[in-house]
Amino acid sequence: MSVSEELHVIGRPLVEAQLAHPTVVGIARGDLPEPVFRSWLEQDYLFLLDYVRVFSRLAWQAPDGHLGDLVDLAHATFHEELSLHRSLSAEFGADLGGARKGPACAAYTSFLLDSAAVYADGLAALYPCMWGYSTLGRALAENPPAEPRYRAWVDTYAHPAFAELTGRVAVMIDEAAPEPGRAGRLFTEGMAHELAFWDVP
């Protein structure tokens, strides 16, 4: 079993915990109160700005064969994923420019930026976000919400293109050959941050 496959085994019950979280349940039903999603949207916008920085920090260290992938991932996050947040912010009245990080966002981004000081560590630490959202998106798309704004959110993370980007990170993790135990610990810590992030401030 490859390192990325071992991480998937670790991650499956942790994704189930996210699927049971009230915020995710509300998105799935399409009845999450707007103030809750607005707050989540502002926090995730700030998170994704730092996620781009994590990709960029790793790109500086990357072997030649990974450099293009990391540049592509930074570009897709900044221009596509953040575009979704900007469009949804108008729908929900979010104040992206005035938002400030809550404790969960600050703790998660600090963990990621610190982990990215070591290339293989950084890949394992950032993988929960991509793999977790891709897995969540596909699960929620099996019975998508009728509410169009929440449906757009689900469709983004259920899209095959997002799954493809996630798969590219899995390949990079395996090629970077991190020590499996350490990779598992970083991945598990990242998944814990993912769950905490749904506790909207």
Side-chain angles (χ1 to χ4, degrees):
M1 186 180 293
S2 68
V3 174
S4 64
E5 289 170 337
E6 291 180 7
L7 299 182
H8 298 164
V9 172
I10 293 169
R12 286 190 187 100
L14 304 176
V15 168
E16 292 298 322
Q18 292 187 56
L19 286 167
H21 191 284
T23 302
V24 179
V25 171
I27 292 172
R29 289 195 308 241
D31 63 2
L32 183 70
E34 288 196 12
V36 176
F37 192 77
R38 179 165 59 246
S39 181
W40 176 87
L41 193 62
E42 291 169 351
Q43 292 299 300
D44 202 52
Y45 182 82
L46 297 174
F47 169 84
L48 288 172
L49 289 174
D50 276 346
Y51 206 52
V52 173
R53 293 182 174 98
V54 170
F55 285 131
S56 300
R57 188 174 192 187
L58 292 175
W60 182 79
Q61 306 171 62
D64 292 348
H66 291 182
L67 180 58
D69 288 319
L70 287 161
V71 171
D72 287 348
L73 287 159
H75 185 277
T77 303
F78 191 84
H79 290 285
E80 296 170 20
E81 198 170 355
L82 281 171
S83 289
L84 170 72
H85 286 58
R86 294 184 189 103
S87 66
L88 287 174
S89 72
E91 300 278 350
F92 285 91
D95 180 14
L96 300 183
R100 296 293 179 267
K101 290 180 183 177
C105 182
Y108 196 2
T109 55
S110 293
F111 162 71
L112 289 174
L113 288 164
D114 289 347
S115 297
V118 177
Y119 185 67
D121 287 357
L123 290 175
L126 70 80
Y127 194 48
C129 182
M130 294 203 68
W131 180 79
Y133 271 63
S134 180
T135 306
L136 281 174
R138 291 196 303 274
L140 296 179
E142 293 176 2
N143 185 24
E147 207 282 342
R149 297 170 300 174
Y150 292 129
R151 175 66 181 262
W153 186 92
V154 170
D155 288 346
T156 294
Y157 294 108
H159 198 282
F162 191 76
E164 181 182 351
L165 290 174
T166 302
R168 288 163 73 178
V169 177
V171 171
M172 285 192 288
I173 290 171
D174 292 334
E175 291 177 349
E179 193 278 314
R182 181 166 178 77
R185 289 190 294 274
L186 288 163
F187 180 83
T188 300
E189 185 171 351
M191 289 297 289
H193 283 293
E194 285 288 317
L195 183 60
F197 205 93
W198 294 114
D199 293 329
V200 177

